[in-house]
Amino acid sequence: MDLFSGHPADLKKSFLNFIGQVKQNPLDKALIVLPSQRLAAELKITLAEAKGCVSALYFADFTRLATEIASAEEDYKPLQKVSPLQNFIIKNILEDFGAEASRGYCFALKAAFLDLSGAQASAQDLITIAQETETFSAEQKEELKKLALFYSKYSERTQNDFSNTYAQMFEAACASAPKSKYLKDFKNIIFYGSYDFTGLQSELFKAICANYNVTVFCPYEDNPAYKFSKKTFEADMLGRAKNHYKIEAAQTALRILSQNVFKADAGQVEGADVKIISVSGAAAELEAAAKQILFWKEERQIDFKDIALTARTLEPYRGDIINIMEQNKIPLNVNLEMPLLQDTFAAFIFNLFNLAKNNFYRDDVRAVITSPYFRDKDELWPFVIKKTGVSAGLRQWLDLLPLASDKDSPNPAAQNAAEKLADFLVYINNVLAKLSAEGTFEDLSSDALGVIDACTDKTQIKADQTQTLQTVQTLLKQISAFGQVRSKAHKGEFLEEFTTLLKEQTFNRVSSAQDGIIAADVMALRGQSFKAAVIIGLNEGLMPVQPQHDPVLKEDYRNLMQKLGYSLHTRADRYDEEKLLFYFALSAAEQSLTLVYQRSGEDGKPKIPSLYLTQTMRLLGQDLNGNKINVLSRRPAERYSQIPPAYLTLSEAQILTCLGSAQNKTEILEAITDPPQNKKDFVSGSFEAANALAARAALTPYDGFIGPKNALAAETEEKGISPSNLQILYKCPARFLFEKVTGREDDIPFERAALPPTKKGTLYHKILEDFYRNIKEHKLFDKLFAGGAAEMMKAFAADYLSQDKYKEYGMYPVMWDITAREMTAYLCELVKNDVAAIQASRLYPQMFEYAYQTETNLKNGKLKLKGKLDRINVSADGKNFSITDYKTKKETAGIERAIFKKAVLQPPLYFEMAKNLPDLAGSSPVTMTLMGIETQGNGAKELTYDEYSKLRPRIADMLEFITDLEKRGVFIINPEDDVCKNCRFETACRKAHAATYRRCRRTQESKTLRDYHATAS
């Protein structure tokens, strides 16, 4: 065996020269064994570029090598595929022995079994170690024996006559290697890039070296960074080498830096082209990397294909990396492992099968039935859900869906949609109940496939999602194989296994661009070299990764077994491997290197830089507080202002122009040459917006100043305005604008434990309307005593608040009973006081829920009002009337303060409306009462007409003022605590923007509005 060792970049050059020598005859076959498929792909490209072709060159990793050797024999059995079946076997072994069978413990056992198998350790070996090791406690010995028992049972149950386990495949390959038909077909067998072997790999390597012409290219140097691979190099390679060639090459500053990073006594390195960048947040790391890549491309003329972007793991960046590189127009080659549930079709399947488990929660149901993949959907279903206010629980769905169509104004389409939705919910509940019952795994898997077929519109599955459908189908096929282990699924087990597997599955999101940069984790890029590289994620916990304690094959057991000769790694070995991986990352850059770390997360919380970074900076003569570090601001505008305009993306330019200084406007516009003119104009418009937002002068369209002749004013002039909308306009003109423009309505679901306030208010109104209408029809107002009215209300309310009514409101029966009792008590208290007041005033309820549209005179014209009056009381002779407006809670403020400070405008507006109603012609207003329902004692707050007459000039002026705001299109913000409370537009109004706040507050309109609000009794 010939052995070549050295720096990864030098090793690659020697390998290419070696291939050139052994391939002088193009027909001679050579086998190249590598540690990863990615390295094989990279070498193929390099060989094709350097040598023109890769004919007669065959590439394999160790698993494929073992499979190819074994498959050439007559008694070959295929390799068992990794599948959920192995975990299920472990779960059943644990259940058989009454042990914990949590998913986490099953995974930990499986990992331990794989390590033991790879180290060629048997269950009997574990028992012997437990029996003969005096340093172990009795508890440790029992624990090891239990592990041996589980390992033995697992080995027995995974072996069969149809396939080979991983260990069996390697054992068969080792036995066949000396006379292998497959191996004898190659003139040269080359091992390239491996620096660590498992026990099984080591045995196969030895068997091949002993019988064939082998050349090994191992990345190894006499350096502390290689401590992890030293044992493999010396025992498996150097000890078998007939010739050992140490590859020496010219030292560069970057190479010296990487070689010295783990040497405690190393001095400062001069001349290394290294940049350190400090950012806040993972996305900012990618942005910084992108700008550095653009710099290398434009200023250093380094091709994209000669640049690498790497991290210990790309998991923190997988959601952003493709998008950020696309935005910066950087071609990218990356293969990301993404959670399967990020695929919208997979999420639909997951939600569908979890509906019953999640108690048919409204958001889950809505996610399923509005999904583009759902078959036979009805466009009215979202309306039906909103209309009925259903919250959760199948019983509530079935109780409330019939309410989708009002009795007073039937909606047949909504009713049909509700019935269709109810049918689906009953269907899916029944099939999920069946899938949750005991049954064979084969039957349950088949039924689940049937549910998917019945509920899925497969025409909506995109081409790139067919793999997702196949993954789901494969999972169900794998679950059906559980029957090999146990005949039937336990209750609830099938759905738990299926949905859990969906959560655990991943898919590959690939970005492939010719001549693009390479992005991969450090493990995947080991042994490769590039002209320039960016290493991101240089923070503690990310690089180095903290090796976890094995809860099964514990550290004491691993240390002892390693001393006994088993190829098992300890936590100390894993720390050494982290050093080697960082060394490989540093070594990947031949000319330029950029290191990026987060000083804080996106939430602003500080983060700790990697110890490896501080060691590297020590060699560069820098520290974390030095001025040589490129510190990028956490604030977007400041950060983008630190970037040359030519490297800004379109969105970054927009943000900079909106939030930052517009001094470099011309430079930025000239730099954005790639977007079409309309996008360029949009960016230019951002400057105007930025200038307007920062201005200290008059109001702008960005402040809610939309000008006269606007649509809102036209609507009010044509159709009128309700008191509730006038209240919003008076409270905050900007909020009124947002409400009208968005047309947003609250979507409040029913609560199982409480009746929503809006539903309760409607129910109170309905009961009181029917109660007083009944008294009116039977002419009982002067005949009832207060106590009799309360008793009559108790009997009357029983029809509306009966026990079975809980279904209509989707509440728990016991909570409905409590609520009904409380409402009845409040209503009885109200009518007891109200009937007494009616008899004393001689003003009797005559009109209920009275719809109106009328006009009232203001100084500069008429104000058209529309709405509904809860109740109008009229004297027997028709000469006087009063108005009652029901409120759930009592108004506690003085009437003047309530009107002006709290914007309770109903009392004055109802007076204005009622005096012009035809049905009240000739009658004079007496009082307007705000009737609080849920109060102890008298809940009435009255405004007499005489009191109103005194306030009317100021009220009229206020109404004139706010309606004039609407006519002129001035919808300014009014950021007061009592106004902003419960406003759903609080984060959209820019009240926290200092310039906007100042512009609005300085206007005469704002001052006048605040003067009205400041009025107090």
Side-chain angles (χ1 to χ4, degrees):
M1 183 189 85
D2 288 338
L3 173 63
F4 292 81
S5 66
H7 186 278
D10 300 331
L11 202 69
K12 184 177 179 180
K13 293 175 184 177
S14 296
F15 169 76
L16 293 175
N17 291 333
F18 179 80
I19 292 295
Q21 295 172 10
V22 302
K23 287 293 293 174
Q24 290 182 359
N25 182 353
L27 299 179
D28 289 342
K29 293 182 179 180
L31 173 64
I32 304 170
V33 183
L34 307 104
S36 71
Q37 292 296 328
R38 180 182 286 275
L39 182 57
E42 192 267 340
L43 276 185
K44 287 179 183 178
I45 295 172
T46 304
L47 284 167
E49 292 175 347
K51 305 300 177 183
C53 70
V54 289
S55 61
L57 292 178
Y58 297 83
F59 298 82
D61 58 17
F62 264 99
T63 302
R64 182 175 178 183
L65 173 65
T67 303
E68 292 286 358
I69 294 171
S71 65
E73 304 303 320
E74 293 181 358
D75 58 349
Y76 167 72
K77 292 187 291 185
L79 179 66
Q80 286 181 12
K81 293 182 179 180
V82 177
S83 78
L85 181 62
Q86 283 102 19
N87 286 334
F88 190 70
I89 289 172
I90 294 173
K91 173 184 172 181
N92 279 268
I93 292 171
L94 294 174
E95 289 177 349
D96 290 346
F97 289 94
E100 176 195 2
S102 69
R103 203 158 192 87
Y105 188 49
C106 291
F107 276 117
L109 275 173
K110 184 179 179 181
F113 295 163
L114 288 174
D115 283 351
L116 290 168
S117 175
Q120 296 180 291
S122 66
Q124 184 57 49
D125 292 339
L126 295 180
I127 295 173
T128 302
I129 291 170
Q131 292 173 340
E132 298 180 358
T133 304
E134 297 179 357
T135 57
F136 285 169
S137 66
E139 183 181 355
Q140 286 177 309
K141 290 183 178 182
E142 285 304 311
E143 188 176 56
L144 204 53
K145 288 178 182 178
K146 186 198 295 187
L147 175 60
L149 174 63
F150 294 158
Y151 183 34
S152 172
K153 295 297 181 183
Y154 178 75
S155 299
E156 291 174 6
R157 296 188 188 185
T158 52
Q159 293 179 12
N160 57 59
D161 296 331
F162 312 106
S163 62
N164 273 325
T165 65
Y166 185 79
Q168 288 175 324
M169 184 64 75
F170 270 84
E171 290 165 0
C174 288
S176 302
K179 298 180 180 180
S180 169
K181 300 175 184 177
Y182 173 74
L183 293 175
K184 287 182 178 180
D185 200 31
F186 298 104
K187 186 173 183 179
N188 291 278
I189 299 176
I190 304 162
F191 287 83
Y192 179 88
S194 295
Y195 58 84
D196 179 46
F197 293 148
T198 66
L200 291 171
Q201 291 171 344
S202 176
E203 290 302 311
L204 182 56
F205 176 77
K206 294 174 188 176
I208 295 173
C209 288
N211 294 279
Y212 299 94
N213 178 26
V214 173
T215 304
V216 177
F217 289 84
C218 176
Y220 184 84
E221 301 169 81
D222 186 13
N223 186 289
Y226 284 92
K227 182 180 178 181
F228 174 75
S229 60
K230 184 175 182 179
K231 181 179 178 181
T232 296
F233 177 76
E234 292 181 348
D236 289 328
M237 299 180 185
L238 189 60
R240 286 180 172 72
K242 181 179 179 181
N243 300 300
H244 178 207
Y245 304 99
K246 283 187 177 182
I247 306 170
E248 302 290 345
Q251 294 286 72
T252 64
L254 273 179
R255 183 167 296 188
I256 295 171
L257 176 71
S258 62
Q259 290 173 338
N260 290 342
V261 71
F262 294 115
K263 292 180 180 178
D265 57 349
Q268 186 171 327
V269 177
E270 301 291 343
D273 183 10
V274 180
K275 178 186 285 189
I276 314 292
I277 302 178
S278 168
V279 302
S280 294
E285 286 188 271
L286 292 171
E287 287 178 1
K291 305 312 176 188
Q292 185 59 43
I293 291 168
L294 291 173
F295 170 80
W296 282 330
K297 180 69 169 67
E298 298 300 324
E299 303 297 327
R300 301 286 183 82
Q301 282 74 54
I302 299 177
D303 291 337
F304 285 130
K305 65 183 179 65
D306 295 322
I307 300 173
L309 172 62
T310 189
R312 180 62 180 87
T313 171
L314 291 182
E315 184 173 346
Y317 312 99
R318 61 190 181 187
D320 295 314
I321 184 170
I322 293 178
N323 292 336
I324 288 178
M325 294 302 149
E326 283 180 353
Q327 290 166 10
N328 284 274
K329 295 182 172 51
I330 297 174
L332 173 68
N333 290 290
V334 69
N335 190 338
L336 299 169
E337 193 173 78
M338 309 291 287
L340 183 66
L341 292 186
Q342 284 197 7
D343 180 273
T344 52
F345 175 64
F348 163 70
I349 297 297
F350 181 81
N351 290 332
L352 177 67
F353 282 87
N354 272 292
L355 284 177
K357 180 182 178 182
N358 293 336
N359 197 28
F360 292 94
Y361 179 60
R362 67 188 268 123
D363 288 347
D364 293 330
V365 173
R366 187 156 46 190
V368 168
I369 64 175
T370 60
S371 168
Y373 309 105
F374 185 74
R375 177 184 286 181
D376 298 331
K377 65 175 69 66
D378 193 305
E379 61 181 15
L380 285 179
W381 279 350
F383 164 79
V384 166
I385 294 175
K386 186 174 182 179
K387 171 75 174 175
T388 58
V390 66
S391 175
L394 182 62
R395 185 70 264 159
Q396 190 188 68
W397 282 95
L398 299 181
D399 288 342
L400 294 182
L401 283 175
L403 304 180
S405 178
D406 296 327
K407 293 179 181 178
D408 297 335
S409 55
N411 184 339
Q415 189 62 41
N416 290 337
E419 292 172 359
K420 184 178 175 183
L421 179 55
D423 290 343
F424 163 70
L425 293 175
V426 170
Y427 158 76
I428 197 65
N429 181 67
N430 290 339
V431 296
L432 292 177
K434 183 179 179 182
L435 292 174
S436 296
E438 291 185 1
T440 67
F441 287 101
E442 186 175 359
D443 288 345
L444 293 172
S445 297
S446 177
D447 290 344
L449 282 172
V451 173
I452 294 173
D453 288 338
C455 296
T456 303
D457 182 357
K458 293 184 179 178
T459 63
Q460 296 298 315
I461 298 177
K462 301 174 184 176
D464 58 350
Q465 291 179 315
T466 54
Q467 184 62 47
T468 302
L469 177 59
Q470 291 172 7
T471 298
V472 172
Q473 292 169 337
T474 299
L475 280 180
L476 289 170
K477 184 177 180 181
Q478 291 171 336
I479 293 175
S480 70
F482 288 3
Q484 301 171 18
V485 179
R486 186 176 356 113
S487 60
K488 287 188 176 182
H490 301 319
K491 185 177 181 180
E493 184 179 29
F494 171 79
L495 278 181
E496 182 66 26
E497 288 286 344
F498 179 44
T499 55
T500 301
L501 286 171
L502 282 174
K503 285 193 289 187
E504 294 170 351
Q505 287 298 304
T506 60
F507 73 97
N508 291 331
R509 185 182 178 191
V510 178
S511 173
S512 181
Q514 186 175 4
D515 296 331
I517 70 164
I518 303 295
D521 59 50
V522 172
M523 184 73 79
L525 285 187
R526 56 190 170 173
Q528 299 184 48
S529 57
F530 304 84
K531 290 182 179 179
V534 183
I535 306 176
I536 57 177
L538 287 170
N539 287 89
E540 285 299 306
L542 286 179
M543 185 180 285
V545 170
Q546 299 298 317
Q548 299 297 310
H549 287 279
D550 190 332
V552 176
L553 192 58
K554 296 179 179 177
E555 202 65 12
D556 288 344
Y557 310 148
R558 287 177 174 273
N559 280 318
L560 178 61
M561 294 182 72
Q562 191 181 73
K563 291 176 182 177
L564 294 174
Y566 294 98
S567 296
L568 285 171
H569 290 310
T570 64
R571 288 186 78 230
D573 295 329
R574 292 302 178 197
Y575 278 113
D576 289 336
E577 184 179 24
E578 291 300 310
K579 291 181 179 180
L580 181 57
L581 291 173
F582 182 65
Y583 173 81
F584 283 153
L586 290 180
S587 300
E590 296 177 342
Q591 298 177 11
S592 295
L593 175 68
T594 294
L595 308 176
V596 187
Y597 75 98
Q598 296 182 45
R599 65 182 177 279
S600 65
E602 292 174 359
D603 56 3
K605 293 181 180 179
K607 288 201 168 189
I608 302 174
S610 168
L611 175 63
Y612 294 171
L613 174 64
T614 56
Q615 289 177 219
T616 305
M617 293 178 70
R618 176 183 60 81
L619 294 178
L620 295 170
Q622 300 181 27
D623 61 63
L624 293 171
N625 298 317
N627 57 12
K628 294 183 180 180
I629 295 179
N630 294 265
V631 180
L632 299 183
S633 175
R634 184 163 168 257
R635 297 182 180 89
E638 292 181 14
R639 184 166 71 251
Y640 299 149
S641 68
Q642 295 173 276
I643 299 169
Y647 300 154
L648 290 172
T649 67
L650 180 62
S651 61
E652 289 167 353
Q654 292 171 208
I655 291 172
L656 180 57
T657 55
C658 288
L659 301 181
S661 169
Q663 294 176 354
N664 55 348
K665 169 182 175 179
T666 303
E667 188 178 2
I668 292 176
L669 286 176
E670 289 177 353
I672 306 174
T673 55
D674 207 20
Q677 185 60 40
N678 63 332
K679 290 187 178 181
K680 206 167 184 180
D681 292 341
F682 182 68
V683 177
S684 180
S686 298
F687 283 103
E688 279 64 50
N691 290 333
L693 289 172
R696 296 171 180 266
L699 295 177
T700 73
Y702 303 101
D703 301 315
F705 177 55
I706 64 175
K709 298 183 180 180
N710 61 79
L712 301 184
E715 181 183 0
T716 296
E717 185 176 356
E718 178 187 356
K719 300 179 181 179
I721 188 169
S722 67
S724 59
N725 276 327
L726 274 173
Q727 284 188 172
I728 297 172
L729 180 60
Y730 174 60
K731 281 184 176 181
C732 179
R735 180 174 175 179
F736 176 81
L737 175 65
F738 293 150
E739 294 272 6
K740 288 294 186 178
V741 170
T742 62
R744 227 181 102 182
E745 296 180 13
D746 288 325
D747 183 9
I748 303 174
F750 279 103
E751 296 286 343
R752 299 302 305 271
L755 188 61
T758 53
K759 305 294 182 182
K760 181 185 282 188
T762 301
L763 188 54
Y764 273 138
H765 277 66
K766 182 63 176 173
I767 293 173
L768 288 167
E769 177 190 352
D770 290 356
F771 175 79
Y772 283 113
R773 194 184 294 276
N774 183 274
I775 295 179
K776 173 191 172 185
E777 290 174 357
H778 292 87
K779 300 178 181 180
L780 299 176
F781 285 117
D782 289 328
K783 300 177 182 179
L784 280 173
F785 292 104
E791 288 301 316
M792 183 176 177
M793 170 56 82
K794 187 182 294 185
F796 196 85
D799 292 335
Y800 293 89
L801 302 173
S802 60
Q803 289 186 344
D804 63 339
K805 293 290 184 180
Y806 77 90
K807 297 178 181 180
E808 294 183 19
Y809 298 98
M811 292 178 65
Y812 295 119
V814 65
M815 298 309 298
W816 169 255
D817 185 58
I818 293 172
T819 301
R821 290 172 186 272
E822 290 177 347
M823 292 179 67
T824 300
Y826 284 130
L827 288 167
C828 290
E829 183 71 13
L830 181 148
V831 298
K832 183 171 69 174
N833 294 296
D834 193 27
V835 167
I838 290 169
Q839 292 170 347
S841 69
R842 314 296 291 175
L843 297 170
Y844 304 106
Q846 296 295 308
M847 306 174 199
F848 311 95
E849 300 299 319
Y850 188 95
Y852 61 84
Q853 185 166 353
T854 185
E855 293 180 344
T856 187
N857 295 318
L858 299 175
K859 291 179 181 178
N860 297 323
K862 294 182 181 295
L863 173 62
K864 187 179 292 186
L865 297 167
K866 63 178 180 179
K868 186 179 290 186
L869 298 172
D870 290 347
R871 193 178 89 199
I872 302 174
N873 296 359
V874 184
S875 62
D877 57 9
K879 292 182 178 181
N880 298 306
F881 72 87
S882 67
I883 303 166
T884 299
D885 188 65
Y886 299 122
K887 299 291 184 186
T888 302
K889 302 297 182 183
K890 180 179 179 179
E891 179 55 59
T892 58
I895 197 66
E896 185 178 358
R897 181 177 176 82
I899 293 171
F900 289 104
K901 181 66 176 175
K902 300 181 70 175
V904 181
L905 300 187
Q906 285 98 333
L909 289 174
Y910 286 173
F911 271 137
E912 291 294 325
M913 292 183 295
K915 68 182 184 181
N916 294 322
L917 295 177
D919 290 335
L920 295 175
S923 295
S924 300
V926 179
T927 60
M928 193 282 155
T929 303
L930 295 175
M931 184 70 72
I933 300 173
E934 294 186 349
T935 60
Q936 295 296 327
N938 190 349
K941 173 72 69 173
E942 286 189 350
L943 173 67
T944 68
Y945 190 73
D946 289 340
E947 291 173 325
Y948 166 67
S949 298
K950 295 176 183 178
L951 293 174
R952 190 182 188 283
R954 183 163 176 76
I955 292 171
D957 287 344
M958 179 265 287
L959 292 173
E960 189 88 52
F961 167 72
I962 61 174
T963 54
D964 183 62
L965 289 180
E966 184 187 35
K967 291 176 182 177
R968 294 191 292 119
V970 180
F971 298 99
I972 54 175
I973 59 173
N974 184 31
E976 302 293 340
D977 290 341
D978 56 338
V979 172
C980 295
K981 186 178 180 181
N982 299 324
C983 176
R984 57 193 177 208
F985 304 105
E986 187 176 10
T987 59
C989 71
R990 292 206 318 278
K991 67 179 182 180
H993 183 240
T996 299
Y997 180 85
R998 285 195 299 269
R999 279 194 305 275
C1000 291
R1001 299 293 273 191
R1002 289 172 179 171
T1003 62
Q1004 185 59 49
E1005 290 85 353
S1006 177
K1007 293 175 183 177
T1008 303
L1009 187 61
R1010 280 178 281 144
D1011 286 343
Y1012 282 121
H1013 277 265
T1015 301
S1017 59

